[in-house]
Amino acid sequence: MTVSGARGMFSAYAPILVVAALLALTPLATSANTVLNAMVLALLVALAGQGWNILGGYGGQFSFGHAAFFGTGAYGTALLQARYGLNAYVAFAAAIGAGAAVGAAIGFLSFRSGLRGSYFALVTLAFAEVFRIVANASPFTGGAAGTLLKLDVAPGNFQFASRAIFFWIALALVTLVLILTRAIERSRFGAYLVAIRENESAAQALGIDTFKVKLQAITLSAAVTAAAGAFYAQYFLYVNADIAYGAAVSVEALLAPIIGGLGTAFGPLIGTLALHGLAEGAKALTGRIPGIDVALYGALVVLVIAFAPKGLRGLAARLGRGLSTRWAS
Amino acid sequence: MSAPLLSVQNASKRFGGVLAVDSVSLTINAGGITGLIGPNGAGKTTLFTLISGFERPTSGRIAFQGVDIGALAPHKRAALGVARTFQIVQPFAGLTVRENIAVGAHLRHARRDEALAKAEAVSERVGLADRLNAPASGLTIAGRKRLELARALATEPTLLLLDEVLAGLNPSEVRDVIPIIQDIRRGGVTVLMVEHVMQAVMSLCETVFVLAQGRIIAEGSPSAITKDANVIEAYLGHGAAKRLAARDVAHG
């Protein structure tokens, strides 16, 4: 490899490792379960958002129904263990596969019919709702009561007494997807995905099989979001239809990257940390006024869309450029 | 004898009640620059969309290097070596010039660094080398036309379809782009161009097809075409050829 190539690799991946290393220190700074719990949840939302970002941020295909993948991951791992007695790790991997399969199926049907923009968004929303209603009604999934996993704390069961372990595993997953996303950015697949986002006709004219690329993107996107769902079920040892397939999941998955920065590797993580930090801070300051976090989410979305359409990531880059030109002059 | 590079046989395209392309047949051999001209609404761009695959012909056959490509999707035709530019430029606005061209280069180069290197080489051929890191959205219309050309060229086509790459350019910009098209031809790429800028058609094309109301009404060298009675009538109206001839006689 050339020197410049090695330097490119370093500047591409080093920030990811630095951020991951810093975040990994969190459990050493605090042993408070509430903090760790909030951090695990934030990382799960970040992971779901990272999945959404592959399809929506890079590929420009806005899904309103990523709950379909999150929920399939959650129910997949729960049902395979509770009903079939599978090992937790095997169930986890299989649940990711199931989420990817659901993604491929929804993608095949939507993209084959040429659905774009708001039509694609509505169809994904409808799919997620169908999953939610079926999961809520079917005895197989435990109906409205949901599915409970047996508490049996042992590393072999993917159950740990310490929340720190869950935190580190969630962080490892987020880091893995950060690296994956960066690798996509630097690949032909990534270039094709962005080309489709920018202009699908021009992409076709340049020889891109847009159907195939979108199908690969939604499959990968669904797999990542399903991993978040599977981890969720493993962490709480419980899942029901509203948690797994509820519209709130779909909204969180798309909010994080939009706030943080669409189509950037760090966008979902930055967005989630900003949103959750703000929500937790507001709850602490206002003495837990019900719904204050949701109201703040709304306000932040409006502010970001109005003043920083490229998200916090883009805003930071803009401020950085502004400062450096001021120093230079 | 080998098959012609492009052979269109009795191709028609109907949009509802409008017959945009009416049993057009034309043959293009490898090498050279062929022009496709005609009044507005003649069906030139529609014929391009049929050849590049964005629309399927209602009837007729389109063969590229002897292979029927009439039913293939656009990306498959691009892979075979048919590239097109768009009359209304379609840049990837959020990407840099380099990234735009690299998307085209990726068709033959899977590796990112190879595609970026290819993009640089192509940018020099079309005169965009100094704008490689500029966002495509920041280019002037002349720059966007060059970018359109560069992206198509980066796919390493055998046949390049240029849809009015000179439209909207001022005369000095047109003079700048003409040598680029000549250079592309010298590089072994066959060019079929729709063009309204007659100065360019006259200086670039060896053969010109004239399309009017969906039909080919004339074919020949640029100088022969401009004297063709059918062509004059198509552009200037019924009886124009006769009036012009009469005026020429009167003015001796």
Side-chain angles (χ1 to χ4, degrees):
Chain A
M1 182 174 291
T2 60
V3 176
S4 71
R7 199 175 295 153
M9 288 277 285
F10 182 78
S11 66
Y13 295 104
I16 295 174
L17 300 177
V18 169
V19 168
L22 287 176
L23 281 173
L25 299 176
T26 314
L28 306 180
T30 173
S31 56
N33 265 344
T34 47
V35 175
L36 280 183
N37 193 39
M39 287 297 287
V40 170
L41 280 178
L43 287 177
L44 286 188
V45 172
L47 189 59
Q50 283 177 312
W52 188 92
N53 194 37
I54 292 172
L55 181 68
Y58 289 92
Q61 313 297 312
F62 277 38
S63 149
F64 281 8
H66 259 50
F69 316 135
F70 183 91
T72 302
Y75 269 112
T77 199
L79 291 172
L80 285 172
Q81 289 179 72
R83 297 221 168 244
Y84 301 105
L86 238 65
N87 171 275
Y89 294 99
V90 177
F92 188 80
I96 293 173
V102 168
I106 293 177
F108 182 85
L109 294 171
S110 313
F111 297 139
R112 178 100 317 196
S113 343
L115 295 182
R116 295 184 194 183
S118 42
Y119 298 98
F120 174 71
L122 286 175
V123 161
T124 53
L125 178 68
F127 270 111
E129 274 301 284
V130 168
F131 276 107
R132 187 183 64 79
I133 291 163
V134 170
N136 203 41
S138 161
F140 180 71
T141 53
T147 299
L148 206 57
L149 279 168
K150 203 165 76 201
L151 181 69
D152 184 2
V153 178
N157 294 336
F158 205 151
Q159 294 185 26
F160 309 96
S162 159
R163 283 182 202 273
I165 308 273
F166 275 114
F167 172 82
W168 281 318
I169 294 174
L171 181 61
L173 288 171
V174 168
T175 307
L176 211 64
V177 180
L178 274 172
I179 292 169
L180 173 74
T181 310
R182 189 45 55 83
I184 289 173
E185 278 179 355
R186 296 156 59 84
S187 73
R188 167 155 78 174
F189 172 66
Y192 280 3
L193 203 50
V194 171
I196 290 170
R197 175 187 74 199
E198 296 289 324
N199 192 320
E200 199 162 337
S201 299
Q204 285 175 339
L206 296 177
I208 300 176
D209 186 347
T210 56
F211 173 71
K212 189 175 118 192
V213 172
K214 286 193 284 185
L215 196 57
Q216 288 168 336
I218 196 173
T219 306
L220 191 60
S221 170
V224 171
T225 301
F231 193 96
Y232 185 98
Q234 196 62 41
Y235 184 63
F236 288 102
L237 299 177
Y238 174 69
V239 61
N240 71 25
D242 282 332
I243 293 171
Y245 288 123
V249 176
S250 300
V251 172
E252 287 234 54
L254 67 88
L255 221 46
I258 289 175
I259 298 285
L262 276 175
T264 63
F266 278 109
L269 182 61
I270 293 172
T272 312
L273 294 180
L275 281 171
H276 281 233
L278 192 74
E280 294 301 320
K283 276 188 209 161
L285 281 177
T286 59
R288 304 197 169 264
I289 298 172
I292 186 74
D293 52 335
V294 184
L296 274 169
Y297 275 25
L300 190 60
V301 171
V302 171
L303 285 175
V304 164
I305 288 169
F307 298 109
K310 287 184 174 171
L312 297 175
R313 180 82 181 67
L315 187 68
R318 217 163 66 197
L319 291 177
R321 269 200 303 277
L323 281 178
S324 64
T325 50
R326 198 164 300 169
W327 278 334
S329 63
Chain B
M1 194 192 139
S2 66
L5 187 66
L6 178 74
S7 154
V8 178
Q9 290 158 19
N10 298 315
S12 295
K13 180 65 189 178
R14 180 179 283 284
F15 297 108
V18 179
L19 195 55
V21 171
D22 185 0
S23 45
V24 163
S25 295
L26 59 84
T27 299
I28 291 171
N29 291 310
I33 301 177
T34 307
L36 181 62
I37 66 170
N40 286 328
K44 304 182 295 291
T45 294
T46 304
L47 183 57
F48 261 32
T49 63
L50 296 183
I51 299 171
S52 59
F54 282 81
E55 299 278 359
R56 305 277 161 83
T58 311
S59 62
R61 184 171 184 273
I62 297 168
F64 180 68
Q65 294 176 323
V67 181
D68 190 346
I69 59 167
L72 292 183
H75 70 268
K76 294 204 172 128
R77 300 192 200 195
L80 287 175
V82 182
R84 74 169 287 187
T85 66
F86 289 91
Q87 180 181 358
I88 299 161
V89 291
Q90 311 270 354
F92 302 126
L95 307 186
T96 64
V97 168
R98 187 197 308 268
E99 290 166 337
N100 263 270
I101 306 173
V103 172
H106 265 310
L107 181 60
R108 317 271 177 220
H109 303 275
R111 289 176 51 116
R112 186 77 185 141
D113 49 356
E114 283 175 16
L116 290 170
K118 170 82 187 172
E120 247 171 74
V122 172
S123 74
E124 273 164 28
R125 289 184 67 186
V126 302
L128 277 175
D130 56 336
R131 306 301 311 266
L132 273 170
N133 295 318
S137 55
L139 293 178
T140 61
I141 186 69
R144 288 175 195 213
K145 293 278 186 179
R146 284 171 195 254
L147 180 59
E148 198 69 29
L149 200 56
R151 274 193 327 203
L153 206 53
T155 66
E156 297 170 35
T158 312
L159 173 65
L160 181 57
L161 307 169
L162 302 179
D163 196 352
E164 297 202 31
V165 281
L166 300 169
L169 303 189
N170 67 37
S172 89
E173 289 164 344
V174 168
R175 275 198 300 277
D176 290 343
V177 175
I178 284 175
I180 296 173
I181 297 172
Q182 282 166 336
D183 172 64
I184 291 171
R185 190 248 320 256
R186 271 197 300 277
V189 179
T190 308
V191 177
L192 174 61
M193 60 192 300
V194 165
E195 200 47 73
H196 275 305
V197 180
M198 287 311 288
Q199 169 207 353
V201 174
M202 301 299 282
S203 66
L204 282 172
C205 301
E206 284 111 44
T207 312
V208 177
F209 290 92
V210 186
L211 204 60
Q213 293 177 330
R215 290 173 162 276
I216 298 274
I217 58 164
E219 171 191 352
S221 70
S223 55
I225 287 295
T226 50
K227 296 190 193 79
D228 188 293
N230 282 332
V231 176
I232 295 168
E233 302 242 323
Y235 273 92
L236 300 179
H238 184 66
K242 201 178 277 178
R243 283 198 299 279
L244 284 179
R247 199 184 63 182
D248 282 350
V249 171
H251 288 279

PDB file of all heavy atoms in Angstrom, chain A residues 296-325:
ATOM      1  N   LEU A 296     -39.101  18.726  23.507  1.00  0.00           N
ATOM      2  CA  LEU A 296     -37.764  19.196  23.164  1.00  0.00           C
ATOM      3  C   LEU A 296     -37.256  18.575  21.869  1.00  0.00           C
ATOM      4  O   LEU A 296     -36.616  19.239  21.059  1.00  0.00           O
ATOM      5  CB  LEU A 296     -36.802  18.901  24.308  1.00  0.00           C
ATOM      6  CG  LEU A 296     -36.781  19.979  25.391  1.00  0.00           C
ATOM      7  CD1 LEU A 296     -36.013  19.496  26.603  1.00  0.00           C
ATOM      8  CD2 LEU A 296     -36.164  21.265  24.861  1.00  0.00           C
ATOM      9  N   TYR A 297     -37.535  17.284  21.672  1.00  0.00           N
ATOM     10  CA  TYR A 297     -37.171  16.620  20.414  1.00  0.00           C
ATOM     11  C   TYR A 297     -37.719  17.433  19.252  1.00  0.00           C
ATOM     12  O   TYR A 297     -37.025  17.754  18.300  1.00  0.00           O
ATOM     13  CB  TYR A 297     -37.802  15.225  20.337  1.00  0.00           C
ATOM     14  CG  TYR A 297     -37.027  14.120  20.997  1.00  0.00           C
ATOM     15  CD1 TYR A 297     -36.144  14.381  22.034  1.00  0.00           C
ATOM     16  CD2 TYR A 297     -37.187  12.810  20.583  1.00  0.00           C
ATOM     17  CE1 TYR A 297     -35.457  13.353  22.640  1.00  0.00           C
ATOM     18  CE2 TYR A 297     -36.504  11.777  21.184  1.00  0.00           C
ATOM     19  CZ  TYR A 297     -35.636  12.050  22.214  1.00  0.00           C
ATOM     20  OH  TYR A 297     -34.967  11.026  22.810  1.00  0.00           O
ATOM     21  N   GLY A 298     -39.022  17.762  19.378  1.00  0.00           N
ATOM     22  CA  GLY A 298     -39.692  18.500  18.303  1.00  0.00           C
ATOM     23  C   GLY A 298     -39.016  19.827  18.047  1.00  0.00           C
ATOM     24  O   GLY A 298     -38.713  20.176  16.903  1.00  0.00           O
ATOM     25  N   ALA A 299     -38.731  20.553  19.148  1.00  0.00           N
ATOM     26  CA  ALA A 299     -38.100  21.861  18.997  1.00  0.00           C
ATOM     27  C   ALA A 299     -36.728  21.719  18.341  1.00  0.00           C
ATOM     28  O   ALA A 299     -36.363  22.492  17.451  1.00  0.00           O
ATOM     29  CB  ALA A 299     -37.965  22.529  20.367  1.00  0.00           C
ATOM     30  N   LEU A 300     -35.970  20.703  18.753  1.00  0.00           N
ATOM     31  CA  LEU A 300     -34.622  20.511  18.203  1.00  0.00           C
ATOM     32  C   LEU A 300     -34.687  20.174  16.712  1.00  0.00           C
ATOM     33  O   LEU A 300     -33.884  20.672  15.916  1.00  0.00           O
ATOM     34  CB  LEU A 300     -33.892  19.411  18.982  1.00  0.00           C
ATOM     35  CG  LEU A 300     -32.404  19.265  18.666  1.00  0.00           C
ATOM     36  CD1 LEU A 300     -31.658  20.545  18.981  1.00  0.00           C
ATOM     37  CD2 LEU A 300     -31.793  18.107  19.444  1.00  0.00           C
ATOM     38  N   VAL A 301     -35.658  19.343  16.342  1.00  0.00           N
ATOM     39  CA  VAL A 301     -35.798  18.986  14.926  1.00  0.00           C
ATOM     40  C   VAL A 301     -36.072  20.237  14.103  1.00  0.00           C
ATOM     41  O   VAL A 301     -35.453  20.470  13.056  1.00  0.00           O
ATOM     42  CB  VAL A 301     -36.934  17.953  14.733  1.00  0.00           C
ATOM     43  CG1 VAL A 301     -37.215  17.748  13.255  1.00  0.00           C
ATOM     44  CG2 VAL A 301     -36.557  16.638  15.381  1.00  0.00           C
ATOM     45  N   VAL A 302     -36.985  21.079  14.591  1.00  0.00           N
ATOM     46  CA  VAL A 302     -37.315  22.305  13.865  1.00  0.00           C
ATOM     47  C   VAL A 302     -36.072  23.185  13.727  1.00  0.00           C
ATOM     48  O   VAL A 302     -35.761  23.688  12.653  1.00  0.00           O
ATOM     49  CB  VAL A 302     -38.444  23.078  14.581  1.00  0.00           C
ATOM     50  CG1 VAL A 302     -38.627  24.459  13.953  1.00  0.00           C
ATOM     51  CG2 VAL A 302     -39.745  22.291  14.512  1.00  0.00           C
ATOM     52  N   LEU A 303     -35.335  23.340  14.829  1.00  0.00           N
ATOM     53  CA  LEU A 303     -34.136  24.181  14.806  1.00  0.00           C
ATOM     54  C   LEU A 303     -33.092  23.635  13.834  1.00  0.00           C
ATOM     55  O   LEU A 303     -32.498  24.384  13.056  1.00  0.00           O
ATOM     56  CB  LEU A 303     -33.531  24.281  16.216  1.00  0.00           C
ATOM     57  CG  LEU A 303     -34.292  25.183  17.191  1.00  0.00           C
ATOM     58  CD1 LEU A 303     -33.676  25.103  18.579  1.00  0.00           C
ATOM     59  CD2 LEU A 303     -34.287  26.622  16.689  1.00  0.00           C
ATOM     60  N   VAL A 304     -32.876  22.316  13.895  1.00  0.00           N
ATOM     61  CA  VAL A 304     -31.850  21.722  13.042  1.00  0.00           C
ATOM     62  C   VAL A 304     -32.226  21.870  11.571  1.00  0.00           C
ATOM     63  O   VAL A 304     -31.414  22.264  10.737  1.00  0.00           O
ATOM     64  CB  VAL A 304     -31.623  20.243  13.415  1.00  0.00           C
ATOM     65  CG1 VAL A 304     -30.867  19.523  12.308  1.00  0.00           C
ATOM     66  CG2 VAL A 304     -30.838  20.150  14.713  1.00  0.00           C
ATOM     67  N   ILE A 305     -33.505  21.584  11.255  1.00  0.00           N
ATOM     68  CA  ILE A 305     -33.916  21.652   9.856  1.00  0.00           C
ATOM     69  C   ILE A 305     -33.852  23.087   9.347  1.00  0.00           C
ATOM     70  O   ILE A 305     -33.458  23.353   8.215  1.00  0.00           O
ATOM     71  CB  ILE A 305     -35.314  21.038   9.675  1.00  0.00           C
ATOM     72  CG1 ILE A 305     -35.218  19.515   9.838  1.00  0.00           C
ATOM     73  CG2 ILE A 305     -35.892  21.371   8.303  1.00  0.00           C
ATOM     74  CD1 ILE A 305     -36.536  18.815   9.937  1.00  0.00           C
ATOM     75  N   ALA A 306     -34.186  24.042  10.229  1.00  0.00           N
ATOM     76  CA  ALA A 306     -34.183  25.442   9.803  1.00  0.00           C
ATOM     77  C   ALA A 306     -32.766  26.003   9.692  1.00  0.00           C
ATOM     78  O   ALA A 306     -32.460  26.728   8.747  1.00  0.00           O
ATOM     79  CB  ALA A 306     -35.004  26.285  10.778  1.00  0.00           C
ATOM     80  N   PHE A 307     -31.907  25.679  10.642  1.00  0.00           N
ATOM     81  CA  PHE A 307     -30.610  26.364  10.703  1.00  0.00           C
ATOM     82  C   PHE A 307     -29.406  25.491  10.395  1.00  0.00           C
ATOM     83  O   PHE A 307     -28.322  25.992  10.139  1.00  0.00           O
ATOM     84  CB  PHE A 307     -30.424  26.999  12.089  1.00  0.00           C
ATOM     85  CG  PHE A 307     -31.466  28.036  12.392  1.00  0.00           C
ATOM     86  CD1 PHE A 307     -32.453  27.800  13.339  1.00  0.00           C
ATOM     87  CD2 PHE A 307     -31.479  29.231  11.692  1.00  0.00           C
ATOM     88  CE1 PHE A 307     -33.422  28.738  13.595  1.00  0.00           C
ATOM     89  CE2 PHE A 307     -32.450  30.182  11.948  1.00  0.00           C
ATOM     90  CZ  PHE A 307     -33.422  29.944  12.900  1.00  0.00           C
ATOM     91  N   ALA A 308     -29.567  24.192  10.446  1.00  0.00           N
ATOM     92  CA  ALA A 308     -28.434  23.312  10.163  1.00  0.00           C
ATOM     93  C   ALA A 308     -28.925  22.099   9.384  1.00  0.00           C
ATOM     94  O   ALA A 308     -28.940  20.989   9.893  1.00  0.00           O
ATOM     95  CB  ALA A 308     -27.758  22.879  11.465  1.00  0.00           C
ATOM     96  N   PRO A 309     -29.341  22.344   8.115  1.00  0.00           N
ATOM     97  CA  PRO A 309     -29.928  21.234   7.356  1.00  0.00           C
ATOM     98  C   PRO A 309     -28.983  20.045   7.185  1.00  0.00           C
ATOM     99  O   PRO A 309     -29.425  18.954   6.852  1.00  0.00           O
ATOM    100  CB  PRO A 309     -30.288  21.864   6.008  1.00  0.00           C
ATOM    101  CG  PRO A 309     -29.575  23.172   5.967  1.00  0.00           C
ATOM    102  CD  PRO A 309     -29.334  23.597   7.371  1.00  0.00           C
ATOM    103  N   LYS A 310     -27.694  20.249   7.400  1.00  0.00           N
ATOM    104  CA  LYS A 310     -26.770  19.110   7.313  1.00  0.00           C
ATOM    105  C   LYS A 310     -26.524  18.501   8.690  1.00  0.00           C
ATOM    106  O   LYS A 310     -25.577  17.744   8.872  1.00  0.00           O
ATOM    107  CB  LYS A 310     -25.454  19.539   6.675  1.00  0.00           C
ATOM    108  CG  LYS A 310     -25.616  19.778   5.180  1.00  0.00           C
ATOM    109  CD  LYS A 310     -24.303  20.100   4.534  1.00  0.00           C
ATOM    110  CE  LYS A 310     -24.476  20.192   3.015  1.00  0.00           C
ATOM    111  NZ  LYS A 310     -23.259  20.717   2.394  1.00  0.00           N
ATOM    112  N   GLY A 311     -27.348  18.867   9.674  1.00  0.00           N
ATOM    113  CA  GLY A 311     -27.234  18.259  10.992  1.00  0.00           C
ATOM    114  C   GLY A 311     -26.137  18.882  11.830  1.00  0.00           C
ATOM    115  O   GLY A 311     -25.434  19.794  11.403  1.00  0.00           O
ATOM    116  N   LEU A 312     -26.007  18.374  13.051  1.00  0.00           N
ATOM    117  CA  LEU A 312     -24.987  18.910  13.955  1.00  0.00           C
ATOM    118  C   LEU A 312     -23.586  18.693  13.398  1.00  0.00           C
ATOM    119  O   LEU A 312     -22.696  19.517  13.567  1.00  0.00           O
ATOM    120  CB  LEU A 312     -25.116  18.238  15.335  1.00  0.00           C
ATOM    121  CG  LEU A 312     -26.444  18.497  16.059  1.00  0.00           C
ATOM    122  CD1 LEU A 312     -26.508  17.691  17.352  1.00  0.00           C
ATOM    123  CD2 LEU A 312     -26.616  19.983  16.354  1.00  0.00           C
ATOM    124  N   ARG A 313     -23.397  17.567  12.711  1.00  0.00           N
ATOM    125  CA  ARG A 313     -22.117  17.234  12.100  1.00  0.00           C
ATOM    126  C   ARG A 313     -21.748  18.323  11.077  1.00  0.00           C
ATOM    127  O   ARG A 313     -20.625  18.814  11.056  1.00  0.00           O
ATOM    128  CB  ARG A 313     -22.262  15.865  11.443  1.00  0.00           C
ATOM    129  CG  ARG A 313     -21.085  15.301  10.758  1.00  0.00           C
ATOM    130  CD  ARG A 313     -20.134  14.631  11.730  1.00  0.00           C
ATOM    131  NE  ARG A 313     -18.991  14.125  10.993  1.00  0.00           N
ATOM    132  CZ  ARG A 313     -18.102  14.893  10.398  1.00  0.00           C
ATOM    133  NH1 ARG A 313     -18.237  16.191  10.464  1.00  0.00           N
ATOM    134  NH2 ARG A 313     -17.098  14.372   9.734  1.00  0.00           N
ATOM    135  N   GLY A 314     -22.721  18.719  10.252  1.00  0.00           N
ATOM    136  CA  GLY A 314     -22.482  19.750   9.247  1.00  0.00           C
ATOM    137  C   GLY A 314     -22.272  21.110   9.897  1.00  0.00           C
ATOM    138  O   GLY A 314     -21.435  21.901   9.459  1.00  0.00           O
ATOM    139  N   LEU A 315     -23.028  21.362  10.971  1.00  0.00           N
ATOM    140  CA  LEU A 315     -22.906  22.639  11.684  1.00  0.00           C
ATOM    141  C   LEU A 315     -21.501  22.768  12.278  1.00  0.00           C
ATOM    142  O   LEU A 315     -20.848  23.813  12.157  1.00  0.00           O
ATOM    143  CB  LEU A 315     -23.951  22.700  12.802  1.00  0.00           C
ATOM    144  CG  LEU A 315     -24.094  24.026  13.549  1.00  0.00           C
ATOM    145  CD1 LEU A 315     -24.662  25.082  12.612  1.00  0.00           C
ATOM    146  CD2 LEU A 315     -25.008  23.856  14.755  1.00  0.00           C
ATOM    147  N   ALA A 316     -21.022  21.675  12.880  1.00  0.00           N
ATOM    148  CA  ALA A 316     -19.682  21.691  13.472  1.00  0.00           C
ATOM    149  C   ALA A 316     -18.633  21.955  12.395  1.00  0.00           C
ATOM    150  O   ALA A 316     -17.715  22.758  12.589  1.00  0.00           O
ATOM    151  CB  ALA A 316     -19.406  20.360  14.174  1.00  0.00           C
ATOM    152  N   ALA A 317     -18.790  21.300  11.243  1.00  0.00           N
ATOM    153  CA  ALA A 317     -17.824  21.492  10.162  1.00  0.00           C
ATOM    154  C   ALA A 317     -17.829  22.947   9.698  1.00  0.00           C
ATOM    155  O   ALA A 317     -16.796  23.544   9.431  1.00  0.00           O
ATOM    156  CB  ALA A 317     -18.149  20.558   8.999  1.00  0.00           C
ATOM    157  N   ARG A 318     -19.052  23.532   9.631  1.00  0.00           N
ATOM    158  CA  ARG A 318     -19.175  24.916   9.168  1.00  0.00           C
ATOM    159  C   ARG A 318     -18.520  25.875  10.162  1.00  0.00           C
ATOM    160  O   ARG A 318     -17.780  26.773   9.782  1.00  0.00           O
ATOM    161  CB  ARG A 318     -20.659  25.266   9.011  1.00  0.00           C
ATOM    162  CG  ARG A 318     -20.927  26.156   7.819  1.00  0.00           C
ATOM    163  CD  ARG A 318     -22.387  26.155   7.456  1.00  0.00           C
ATOM    164  NE  ARG A 318     -23.212  26.771   8.480  1.00  0.00           N
ATOM    165  CZ  ARG A 318     -24.527  26.603   8.562  1.00  0.00           C
ATOM    166  NH1 ARG A 318     -25.144  25.817   7.707  1.00  0.00           N
ATOM    167  NH2 ARG A 318     -25.222  27.201   9.483  1.00  0.00           N
ATOM    168  N   LEU A 319     -18.784  25.643  11.448  1.00  0.00           N
ATOM    169  CA  LEU A 319     -18.179  26.481  12.479  1.00  0.00           C
ATOM    170  C   LEU A 319     -16.664  26.339  12.459  1.00  0.00           C
ATOM    171  O   LEU A 319     -15.928  27.311  12.577  1.00  0.00           O
ATOM    172  CB  LEU A 319     -18.728  26.107  13.862  1.00  0.00           C
ATOM    173  CG  LEU A 319     -20.191  26.470  14.100  1.00  0.00           C
ATOM    174  CD1 LEU A 319     -20.631  25.993  15.470  1.00  0.00           C
ATOM    175  CD2 LEU A 319     -20.398  27.978  13.978  1.00  0.00           C
ATOM    176  N   GLY A 320     -16.194  25.096  12.271  1.00  0.00           N
ATOM    177  CA  GLY A 320     -14.759  24.837  12.218  1.00  0.00           C
ATOM    178  C   GLY A 320     -14.114  25.613  11.085  1.00  0.00           C
ATOM    179  O   GLY A 320     -13.083  26.266  11.274  1.00  0.00           O
ATOM    180  N   ARG A 321     -14.746  25.576   9.906  1.00  0.00           N
ATOM    181  CA  ARG A 321     -14.223  26.318   8.758  1.00  0.00           C
ATOM    182  C   ARG A 321     -14.213  27.812   9.050  1.00  0.00           C
ATOM    183  O   ARG A 321     -13.250  28.512   8.748  1.00  0.00           O
ATOM    184  CB  ARG A 321     -15.069  26.033   7.514  1.00  0.00           C
ATOM    185  CG  ARG A 321     -14.554  24.867   6.695  1.00  0.00           C
ATOM    186  CD  ARG A 321     -15.094  24.923   5.273  1.00  0.00           C
ATOM    187  NE  ARG A 321     -16.540  24.946   5.212  1.00  0.00           N
ATOM    188  CZ  ARG A 321     -17.299  23.851   5.288  1.00  0.00           C
ATOM    189  NH1 ARG A 321     -16.738  22.677   5.455  1.00  0.00           N
ATOM    190  NH2 ARG A 321     -18.612  23.932   5.224  1.00  0.00           N
ATOM    191  N   GLY A 322     -15.310  28.299   9.663  1.00  0.00           N
ATOM    192  CA  GLY A 322     -15.404  29.727   9.973  1.00  0.00           C
ATOM    193  C   GLY A 322     -14.280  30.150  10.896  1.00  0.00           C
ATOM    194  O   GLY A 322     -13.619  31.157  10.669  1.00  0.00           O
ATOM    195  N   LEU A 323     -14.004  29.347  11.921  1.00  0.00           N
ATOM    196  CA  LEU A 323     -12.943  29.676  12.869  1.00  0.00           C
ATOM    197  C   LEU A 323     -11.576  29.673  12.201  1.00  0.00           C
ATOM    198  O   LEU A 323     -10.769  30.581  12.386  1.00  0.00           O
ATOM    199  CB  LEU A 323     -12.954  28.673  14.037  1.00  0.00           C
ATOM    200  CG  LEU A 323     -14.030  28.916  15.105  1.00  0.00           C
ATOM    201  CD1 LEU A 323     -13.962  27.829  16.161  1.00  0.00           C
ATOM    202  CD2 LEU A 323     -13.844  30.278  15.750  1.00  0.00           C
ATOM    203  N   SER A 324     -11.336  28.623  11.384  1.00  0.00           N
ATOM    204  CA  SER A 324     -10.006  28.504  10.789  1.00  0.00           C
ATOM    205  C   SER A 324      -9.750  29.653   9.814  1.00  0.00           C
ATOM    206  O   SER A 324      -8.629  30.148   9.733  1.00  0.00           O
ATOM    207  CB  SER A 324      -9.843  27.150  10.091  1.00  0.00           C
ATOM    208  OG  SER A 324     -10.731  27.050   9.013  1.00  0.00           O
ATOM    209  N   THR A 325     -10.796  30.114   9.094  1.00  0.00           N
ATOM    210  CA  THR A 325     -10.556  31.250   8.185  1.00  0.00           C
ATOM    211  C   THR A 325     -10.321  32.524   8.999  1.00  0.00           C
ATOM    212  O   THR A 325      -9.547  33.380   8.593  1.00  0.00           O
ATOM    213  CB  THR A 325     -11.740  31.472   7.218  1.00  0.00           C
ATOM    214  OG1 THR A 325     -12.937  31.495   7.979  1.00  0.00           O
ATOM    215  CG2 THR A 325     -11.814  30.404   6.164  1.00  0.00           C
TER     216      THR A 325
END
